[in-house]
Amino acid sequence: MGKLEKIIAVVIIATIVGGGAAFYVGQKDAEAEVDKPLSAEEVEKLSVATDIITTNLASPGSYGIVQFNILLSDKDTKKEAEKRTAEVRAAVIATVASFEKDELIGENGIETLETELAARLAEVFQKGTVDRVLVTEFKVQ
């Protein structure tokens, strides 16, 4: 093997090793960014609250009074949510109205409601995602 071939081989190997190292470091930085919890200010900037909504439940003669805080993936999704308030409100009403009174009682009922609403809202938004839905007001009669 000639001197030129050895130099080319060393350069290729160094490039591959350097690229791999850069990729590894980039992945670690990306993981650190994803795992980092949001500050209170970031949560505030990415959240929208519904107004208090009263709707009938699937159980005859029962109704629910609810309010939610919706955490969105980014500022563009928050802007979209603010423009789609009627669709968000309709999704909340449809979701809550699909439950029987007994299904909503207790911690499991609230968690199920939050999960169902997050899934329904994901269909509403064209940009970004719904990261979390929290029940902030909840009464069932």
Side-chain angles (χ1 to χ4, degrees), residues 59-120:
S59 305
S62 297
Y63 63 93
I65 301 170
V66 294
Q67 183 175 23
F68 297 93
N69 182 279
I70 304 161
L71 178 63
L72 302 159
S73 60
D74 55 58
K75 291 177 184 177
D76 289 337
T77 309
K78 180 180 177 178
K79 287 178 186 175
E80 181 181 5
E82 290 168 343
K83 292 177 183 176
R84 293 180 181 268
T85 55
E87 291 171 85
V88 169
R89 187 173 172 82
V92 168
I93 291 170
T95 302
V96 174
S98 70
F99 283 91
E100 300 274 335
K101 179 180 177 180
D102 293 341
E103 293 175 312
L104 293 173
I105 295 174
E107 187 176 339
N108 288 338
I110 292 173
E111 288 176 2
T112 302
L113 177 59
E114 290 171 345
T115 302
E116 293 271 336
L117 183 56
R120 189 166 296 214

Side-chain angles (χ1 to χ4, degrees), residues 13 15-16 23 26 33 46 81 85-86 97 99 109 121 137:
I13 291 171
T15 302
I16 292 171
F23 178 75
E33 190 69 29
L46 297 176
T85 55
F99 283 91
L121 288 172
E137 178 82 23

